[in-house]
Amino acid sequence: MDKAPYSVKIESNKGKTTITFSGQLIINHINKITNQINDELAFNENLEIIIEQIDNIDVTFIQLLFVLKNTFSKENKEVKITANLKEELKVLVDNSGFNLLLN
């Protein structure tokens, strides 16, 4: 079996869940990423999202982040998103209007 072109690592520790995303975060993989999150994520803890070592990102992934943030916020849970993006990906996020989500 080939290695997936993306990575989703979910860890829970002391009332906080951390999700680390990397690789190809694009529409081609969004269903698998979403399924993994739904299978492994506890929605009753605070959430930290780390986005690093991104090869590519698109609006479908940004929409997933938006849904996660809203879902946890509705449960009165804290959500922190840290994104380490290359300059060209920052421009894409800014142009799509989601820059406030990742700042």
Side-chain angles (χ1 to χ4, degrees):
M1 182 179 208
D2 291 331
K3 185 178 186 289
Y6 63 89
S7 173
V8 178
K9 185 168 67 170
I10 300 172
E11 299 174 313
S12 185
N13 189 14
K14 297 181 183 176
K16 178 178 81 173
T17 298
T18 302
I19 307 174
T20 305
F21 294 101
S22 61
Q24 295 281 331
L25 305 175
I26 58 174
I27 194 169
N28 304 44
H29 313 296
I30 201 68
N31 284 336
K32 289 181 181 177
I33 292 170
T34 302
N35 289 341
Q36 182 179 351
I37 288 171
N38 286 334
D39 290 345
E40 298 180 27
L41 190 59
F43 291 90
N44 60 348
E45 299 181 327
N46 292 327
L47 179 65
E48 179 177 16
I49 299 172
I50 301 170
I51 305 165
E52 60 186 13
Q53 298 175 344
I54 302 301
D55 296 327
N56 205 351
I57 192 170
D58 67 13
V59 174
T60 59
F61 179 75
I62 301 295
Q63 290 170 328
L64 174 64
L65 294 178
F66 189 76
V67 167
L68 285 170
K69 184 172 183 177
N70 281 343
T71 300
F72 278 80
S73 294
K74 285 180 183 177
E75 297 297 322
N76 295 317
K77 301 300 177 187
E78 184 179 317
V79 179
K80 178 183 176 188
I81 301 174
T82 304
N84 300 313
L85 302 176
K86 299 175 201 172
E87 191 59 37
E88 62 268 17
L89 295 177
K90 286 181 186 178
V91 170
L92 172 70
V93 171
D94 288 347
N95 289 341
S96 68
F98 289 105
N99 54 329
L100 293 178
L101 180 66
L102 299 181
N103 292 332

mmCIF file of all heavy atoms in Angstrom, residues 48-80:
data_model
loop_
_atom_site.group_PDB
_atom_site.id
_atom_site.type_symbol
_atom_site.label_atom_id
_atom_site.label_comp_id
_atom_site.label_asym_id
_atom_site.label_seq_id
_atom_site.Cartn_x
_atom_site.Cartn_y
_atom_site.Cartn_z
ATOM 1 N N GLU A 48 -6.370 22.106 19.518
ATOM 2 C CA GLU A 48 -5.256 22.829 18.907
ATOM 3 C C GLU A 48 -5.000 22.194 17.551
ATOM 4 O O GLU A 48 -4.860 20.976 17.443
ATOM 5 C CB GLU A 48 -3.993 22.752 19.762
ATOM 6 C CG GLU A 48 -2.822 23.480 19.131
ATOM 7 C CD GLU A 48 -1.572 23.470 19.992
ATOM 8 O OE1 GLU A 48 -1.487 22.660 20.940
ATOM 9 O OE2 GLU A 48 -0.673 24.273 19.696
ATOM 10 N N ILE A 49 -4.955 23.017 16.511
ATOM 11 C CA ILE A 49 -4.689 22.556 15.154
ATOM 12 C C ILE A 49 -3.358 23.136 14.720
ATOM 13 O O ILE A 49 -3.155 24.352 14.774
ATOM 14 C CB ILE A 49 -5.804 22.983 14.185
ATOM 15 C CG1 ILE A 49 -7.138 22.371 14.612
ATOM 16 C CG2 ILE A 49 -5.449 22.596 12.746
ATOM 17 C CD1 ILE A 49 -8.335 22.880 13.832
ATOM 18 N N ILE A 50 -2.460 22.260 14.279
ATOM 19 C CA ILE A 50 -1.148 22.672 13.784
ATOM 20 C C ILE A 50 -1.075 22.265 12.314
ATOM 21 O O ILE A 50 -1.293 21.104 11.982
ATOM 22 C CB ILE A 50 -0.012 22.023 14.587
ATOM 23 C CG1 ILE A 50 -0.128 22.404 16.064
ATOM 24 C CG2 ILE A 50 1.347 22.413 14.002
ATOM 25 C CD1 ILE A 50 0.793 21.618 16.980
ATOM 26 N N ILE A 51 -0.751 23.231 11.469
ATOM 27 C CA ILE A 51 -0.624 22.982 10.033
ATOM 28 C C ILE A 51 0.829 23.286 9.675
ATOM 29 O O ILE A 51 1.278 24.416 9.825
ATOM 30 C CB ILE A 51 -1.584 23.877 9.237
ATOM 31 C CG1 ILE A 51 -3.010 23.681 9.747
ATOM 32 C CG2 ILE A 51 -1.485 23.590 7.745
ATOM 33 C CD1 ILE A 51 -3.967 24.751 9.301
ATOM 34 N N GLU A 52 1.536 22.249 9.222
ATOM 35 C CA GLU A 52 2.962 22.424 8.948
ATOM 36 C C GLU A 52 3.384 21.532 7.788
ATOM 37 O O GLU A 52 2.691 20.588 7.436
ATOM 38 C CB GLU A 52 3.792 22.102 10.193
ATOM 39 C CG GLU A 52 3.622 20.680 10.684
ATOM 40 C CD GLU A 52 4.328 20.394 11.993
ATOM 41 O OE1 GLU A 52 4.755 21.337 12.681
ATOM 42 O OE2 GLU A 52 4.437 19.213 12.341
ATOM 43 N N GLN A 53 4.502 21.858 7.196
ATOM 44 C CA GLN A 53 5.074 21.092 6.088
ATOM 45 C C GLN A 53 4.029 20.802 5.011
ATOM 46 O O GLN A 53 3.830 19.671 4.585
ATOM 47 C CB GLN A 53 5.714 19.799 6.602
ATOM 48 C CG GLN A 53 6.843 20.043 7.559
ATOM 49 C CD GLN A 53 7.393 18.774 8.165
ATOM 50 O OE1 GLN A 53 6.769 17.714 8.114
ATOM 51 N NE2 GLN A 53 8.583 18.867 8.741
ATOM 52 N N ILE A 54 3.365 21.873 4.583
ATOM 53 C CA ILE A 54 2.297 21.770 3.598
ATOM 54 C C ILE A 54 2.889 21.789 2.193
ATOM 55 O O ILE A 54 3.669 22.660 1.850
ATOM 56 C CB ILE A 54 1.311 22.953 3.743
ATOM 57 C CG1 ILE A 54 0.718 22.989 5.137
ATOM 58 C CG2 ILE A 54 0.226 22.889 2.681
ATOM 59 C CD1 ILE A 54 -0.019 21.763 5.541
ATOM 60 N N ASP A 55 2.495 20.806 1.396
ATOM 61 C CA ASP A 55 2.861 20.798 -0.014
ATOM 62 C C ASP A 55 1.848 21.601 -0.816
ATOM 63 O O ASP A 55 2.208 22.332 -1.733
ATOM 64 C CB ASP A 55 2.924 19.369 -0.559
ATOM 65 C CG ASP A 55 4.016 18.547 0.103
ATOM 66 O OD1 ASP A 55 5.065 19.123 0.454
ATOM 67 O OD2 ASP A 55 3.812 17.334 0.282
ATOM 68 N N ASN A 56 0.561 21.445 -0.469
ATOM 69 C CA ASN A 56 -0.502 22.161 -1.156
ATOM 70 C C ASN A 56 -1.725 22.201 -0.252
ATOM 71 O O ASN A 56 -1.929 21.309 0.563
ATOM 72 C CB ASN A 56 -0.842 21.477 -2.485
ATOM 73 C CG ASN A 56 -1.456 22.427 -3.480
ATOM 74 O OD1 ASN A 56 -1.789 23.560 -3.150
ATOM 75 N ND2 ASN A 56 -1.616 21.963 -4.698
ATOM 76 N N ILE A 57 -2.510 23.235 -0.424
ATOM 77 C CA ILE A 57 -3.718 23.429 0.376
ATOM 78 C C ILE A 57 -4.754 24.065 -0.533
ATOM 79 O O ILE A 57 -4.399 24.804 -1.452
ATOM 80 C CB ILE A 57 -3.405 24.323 1.604
ATOM 81 C CG1 ILE A 57 -4.532 24.311 2.616
ATOM 82 C CG2 ILE A 57 -3.044 25.722 1.198
ATOM 83 C CD1 ILE A 57 -4.182 24.980 3.940
ATOM 84 N N ASP A 58 -6.017 23.742 -0.319
ATOM 85 C CA ASP A 58 -7.063 24.402 -1.101
ATOM 86 C C ASP A 58 -8.237 24.762 -0.205
ATOM 87 O O ASP A 58 -8.218 24.522 1.005
ATOM 88 C CB ASP A 58 -7.478 23.574 -2.319
ATOM 89 C CG ASP A 58 -8.191 22.278 -1.985
ATOM 90 O OD1 ASP A 58 -8.604 22.088 -0.821
ATOM 91 O OD2 ASP A 58 -8.349 21.450 -2.892
ATOM 92 N N VAL A 59 -9.239 25.343 -0.818
ATOM 93 C CA VAL A 59 -10.364 25.872 -0.064
ATOM 94 C C VAL A 59 -11.140 24.768 0.657
ATOM 95 O O VAL A 59 -11.692 24.999 1.735
ATOM 96 C CB VAL A 59 -11.282 26.701 -0.986
ATOM 97 C CG1 VAL A 59 -12.545 27.136 -0.267
ATOM 98 C CG2 VAL A 59 -10.541 27.921 -1.499
ATOM 99 N N THR A 60 -11.173 23.559 0.122
ATOM 100 C CA THR A 60 -11.905 22.483 0.808
ATOM 101 C C THR A 60 -11.301 22.203 2.181
ATOM 102 O O THR A 60 -12.032 21.963 3.141
ATOM 103 C CB THR A 60 -11.946 21.183 -0.018
ATOM 104 O OG1 THR A 60 -10.621 20.731 -0.274
ATOM 105 C CG2 THR A 60 -12.695 21.386 -1.320
ATOM 106 N N PHE A 61 -9.985 22.249 2.284
ATOM 107 C CA PHE A 61 -9.343 22.042 3.581
ATOM 108 C C PHE A 61 -9.619 23.216 4.507
ATOM 109 O O PHE A 61 -9.893 23.030 5.702
ATOM 110 C CB PHE A 61 -7.834 21.823 3.427
ATOM 111 C CG PHE A 61 -7.149 21.632 4.748
ATOM 112 C CD1 PHE A 61 -7.277 20.439 5.444
ATOM 113 C CD2 PHE A 61 -6.418 22.659 5.320
ATOM 114 C CE1 PHE A 61 -6.677 20.267 6.682
ATOM 115 C CE2 PHE A 61 -5.813 22.491 6.552
ATOM 116 C CZ PHE A 61 -5.942 21.296 7.234
ATOM 117 N N ILE A 62 -9.580 24.434 3.977
ATOM 118 C CA ILE A 62 -9.881 25.619 4.789
ATOM 119 C C ILE A 62 -11.313 25.531 5.321
ATOM 120 O O ILE A 62 -11.580 25.860 6.474
ATOM 121 C CB ILE A 62 -9.690 26.913 3.961
ATOM 122 C CG1 ILE A 62 -8.255 27.022 3.433
ATOM 123 C CG2 ILE A 62 -10.075 28.141 4.778
ATOM 124 C CD1 ILE A 62 -7.201 27.172 4.485
ATOM 125 N N GLN A 63 -12.228 25.038 4.489
ATOM 126 C CA GLN A 63 -13.609 24.867 4.931
ATOM 127 C C GLN A 63 -13.696 23.843 6.069
ATOM 128 O O GLN A 63 -14.472 24.024 7.014
ATOM 129 C CB GLN A 63 -14.496 24.443 3.766
ATOM 130 C CG GLN A 63 -14.708 25.553 2.761
ATOM 131 C CD GLN A 63 -15.382 25.072 1.491
ATOM 132 O OE1 GLN A 63 -15.183 23.931 1.064
ATOM 133 N NE2 GLN A 63 -16.171 25.942 0.878
ATOM 134 N N LEU A 64 -12.908 22.783 5.986
ATOM 135 C CA LEU A 64 -12.865 21.795 7.065
ATOM 136 C C LEU A 64 -12.412 22.451 8.370
ATOM 137 O O LEU A 64 -12.984 22.212 9.434
ATOM 138 C CB LEU A 64 -11.946 20.630 6.699
ATOM 139 C CG LEU A 64 -11.697 19.606 7.807
ATOM 140 C CD1 LEU A 64 -12.983 18.897 8.204
ATOM 141 C CD2 LEU A 64 -10.649 18.597 7.366
ATOM 142 N N LEU A 65 -11.386 23.290 8.301
ATOM 143 C CA LEU A 65 -10.920 24.003 9.499
ATOM 144 C C LEU A 65 -12.026 24.889 10.064
ATOM 145 O O LEU A 65 -12.222 24.946 11.285
ATOM 146 C CB LEU A 65 -9.701 24.867 9.164
ATOM 147 C CG LEU A 65 -8.423 24.144 8.773
ATOM 148 C CD1 LEU A 65 -7.342 25.160 8.435
ATOM 149 C CD2 LEU A 65 -7.960 23.213 9.877
ATOM 150 N N PHE A 66 -12.736 25.562 9.184
ATOM 151 C CA PHE A 66 -13.827 26.432 9.604
ATOM 152 C C PHE A 66 -14.909 25.637 10.338
ATOM 153 O O PHE A 66 -15.395 26.042 11.397
ATOM 154 C CB PHE A 66 -14.407 27.145 8.372
ATOM 155 C CG PHE A 66 -15.384 28.223 8.705
ATOM 156 C CD1 PHE A 66 -14.961 29.447 9.187
ATOM 157 C CD2 PHE A 66 -16.740 28.012 8.515
ATOM 158 C CE1 PHE A 66 -15.870 30.448 9.492
ATOM 159 C CE2 PHE A 66 -17.661 29.001 8.823
ATOM 160 C CZ PHE A 66 -17.227 30.218 9.312
ATOM 161 N N VAL A 67 -15.266 24.475 9.812
ATOM 162 C CA VAL A 67 -16.268 23.618 10.441
ATOM 163 C C VAL A 67 -15.774 23.135 11.801
ATOM 164 O O VAL A 67 -16.530 23.138 12.787
ATOM 165 C CB VAL A 67 -16.630 22.425 9.524
ATOM 166 C CG1 VAL A 67 -17.423 21.374 10.274
ATOM 167 C CG2 VAL A 67 -17.389 22.910 8.310
ATOM 168 N N LEU A 68 -14.517 22.705 11.882
ATOM 169 C CA LEU A 68 -13.972 22.264 13.169
ATOM 170 C C LEU A 68 -14.017 23.385 14.196
ATOM 171 O O LEU A 68 -14.440 23.179 15.337
ATOM 172 C CB LEU A 68 -12.539 21.773 12.999
ATOM 173 C CG LEU A 68 -12.361 20.405 12.352
ATOM 174 C CD1 LEU A 68 -10.889 20.151 12.031
ATOM 175 C CD2 LEU A 68 -12.912 19.310 13.253
ATOM 176 N N LYS A 69 -13.589 24.572 13.788
ATOM 177 C CA LYS A 69 -13.586 25.701 14.717
ATOM 178 C C LYS A 69 -14.998 26.007 15.203
ATOM 179 O O LYS A 69 -15.217 26.192 16.398
ATOM 180 C CB LYS A 69 -12.973 26.932 14.053
ATOM 181 C CG LYS A 69 -12.845 28.103 14.986
ATOM 182 C CD LYS A 69 -12.071 29.241 14.392
ATOM 183 C CE LYS A 69 -11.918 30.344 15.428
ATOM 184 N NZ LYS A 69 -11.112 31.446 14.943
ATOM 185 N N ASN A 70 -15.963 26.034 14.293
ATOM 186 C CA ASN A 70 -17.339 26.326 14.683
ATOM 187 C C ASN A 70 -17.929 25.236 15.573
ATOM 188 O O ASN A 70 -18.630 25.529 16.540
ATOM 189 C CB ASN A 70 -18.216 26.530 13.450
ATOM 190 C CG ASN A 70 -18.041 27.896 12.853
ATOM 191 O OD1 ASN A 70 -17.522 28.803 13.494
ATOM 192 N ND2 ASN A 70 -18.457 28.057 11.614
ATOM 193 N N THR A 71 -17.657 23.984 15.257
ATOM 194 C CA THR A 71 -18.185 22.868 16.039
ATOM 195 C C THR A 71 -17.684 22.920 17.476
ATOM 196 O O THR A 71 -18.457 22.793 18.431
ATOM 197 C CB THR A 71 -17.798 21.524 15.394
ATOM 198 O OG1 THR A 71 -18.341 21.477 14.072
ATOM 199 C CG2 THR A 71 -18.323 20.349 16.201
ATOM 200 N N PHE A 72 -16.384 23.133 17.650
ATOM 201 C CA PHE A 72 -15.816 23.192 18.999
ATOM 202 C C PHE A 72 -16.257 24.456 19.737
ATOM 203 O O PHE A 72 -16.512 24.415 20.936
ATOM 204 C CB PHE A 72 -14.289 23.084 18.946
ATOM 205 C CG PHE A 72 -13.801 21.671 18.836
ATOM 206 C CD1 PHE A 72 -13.808 21.011 17.622
ATOM 207 C CD2 PHE A 72 -13.358 20.983 19.952
ATOM 208 C CE1 PHE A 72 -13.372 19.705 17.509
ATOM 209 C CE2 PHE A 72 -12.919 19.675 19.859
ATOM 210 C CZ PHE A 72 -12.932 19.035 18.638
ATOM 211 N N SER A 73 -16.358 25.565 19.022
ATOM 212 C CA SER A 73 -16.790 26.815 19.648
ATOM 213 C C SER A 73 -18.220 26.713 20.154
ATOM 214 O O SER A 73 -18.539 27.232 21.225
ATOM 215 C CB SER A 73 -16.664 27.974 18.657
ATOM 216 O OG SER A 73 -15.308 28.205 18.353
ATOM 217 N N LYS A 74 -19.084 26.030 19.413
ATOM 218 C CA LYS A 74 -20.470 25.844 19.855
ATOM 219 C C LYS A 74 -20.545 25.020 21.133
ATOM 220 O O LYS A 74 -21.488 25.143 21.903
ATOM 221 C CB LYS A 74 -21.296 25.180 18.754
ATOM 222 C CG LYS A 74 -21.653 26.113 17.638
ATOM 223 C CD LYS A 74 -22.468 25.411 16.572
ATOM 224 C CE LYS A 74 -22.758 26.358 15.438
ATOM 225 N NZ LYS A 74 -23.494 25.701 14.350
ATOM 226 N N GLU A 75 -19.551 24.188 21.371
ATOM 227 C CA GLU A 75 -19.479 23.384 22.598
ATOM 228 C C GLU A 75 -18.687 24.105 23.692
ATOM 229 O O GLU A 75 -18.300 23.497 24.686
ATOM 230 C CB GLU A 75 -18.840 22.025 22.298
ATOM 231 C CG GLU A 75 -19.635 21.160 21.339
ATOM 232 C CD GLU A 75 -20.998 20.777 21.896
ATOM 233 O OE1 GLU A 75 -21.103 20.507 23.115
ATOM 234 O OE2 GLU A 75 -21.959 20.760 21.104
ATOM 235 N N ASN A 76 -18.424 25.406 23.474
ATOM 236 C CA ASN A 76 -17.667 26.242 24.414
ATOM 237 C C ASN A 76 -16.261 25.701 24.661
ATOM 238 O O ASN A 76 -15.743 25.776 25.781
ATOM 239 C CB ASN A 76 -18.428 26.413 25.728
ATOM 240 C CG ASN A 76 -19.715 27.182 25.531
ATOM 241 O OD1 ASN A 76 -19.735 28.178 24.827
ATOM 242 N ND2 ASN A 76 -20.781 26.705 26.138
ATOM 243 N N LYS A 77 -15.665 25.165 23.636
ATOM 244 C CA LYS A 77 -14.290 24.675 23.710
ATOM 245 C C LYS A 77 -13.371 25.655 22.984
ATOM 246 O O LYS A 77 -13.737 26.250 21.984
ATOM 247 C CB LYS A 77 -14.158 23.281 23.091
ATOM 248 C CG LYS A 77 -15.033 22.232 23.754
ATOM 249 C CD LYS A 77 -14.692 22.090 25.224
ATOM 250 C CE LYS A 77 -15.608 21.094 25.913
ATOM 251 N NZ LYS A 77 -15.398 21.069 27.343
ATOM 252 N N GLU A 78 -12.182 25.803 23.513
ATOM 253 C CA GLU A 78 -11.189 26.696 22.923
ATOM 254 C C GLU A 78 -10.575 26.050 21.691
ATOM 255 O O GLU A 78 -10.284 24.848 21.690
ATOM 256 C CB GLU A 78 -10.110 26.977 23.965
ATOM 257 C CG GLU A 78 -9.061 27.963 23.518
ATOM 258 C CD GLU A 78 -8.045 28.212 24.631
ATOM 259 O OE1 GLU A 78 -8.456 28.366 25.791
ATOM 260 O OE2 GLU A 78 -6.848 28.217 24.311
ATOM 261 N N VAL A 79 -10.362 26.851 20.641
ATOM 262 C CA VAL A 79 -9.741 26.370 19.413
ATOM 263 C C VAL A 79 -8.581 27.296 19.069
ATOM 264 O O VAL A 79 -8.744 28.510 18.981
ATOM 265 C CB VAL A 79 -10.737 26.349 18.231
ATOM 266 C CG1 VAL A 79 -10.056 25.868 16.963
ATOM 267 C CG2 VAL A 79 -11.936 25.469 18.560
ATOM 268 N N LYS A 80 -7.414 26.699 18.897
ATOM 269 C CA LYS A 80 -6.219 27.448 18.496
ATOM 270 C C LYS A 80 -5.708 26.834 17.205
ATOM 271 O O LYS A 80 -5.534 25.613 17.121
ATOM 272 C CB LYS A 80 -5.144 27.368 19.584
ATOM 273 C CG LYS A 80 -3.861 28.073 19.220
ATOM 274 C CD LYS A 80 -2.808 27.906 20.292
ATOM 275 C CE LYS A 80 -1.511 28.548 19.858
ATOM 276 N NZ LYS A 80 -0.423 28.253 20.776
#
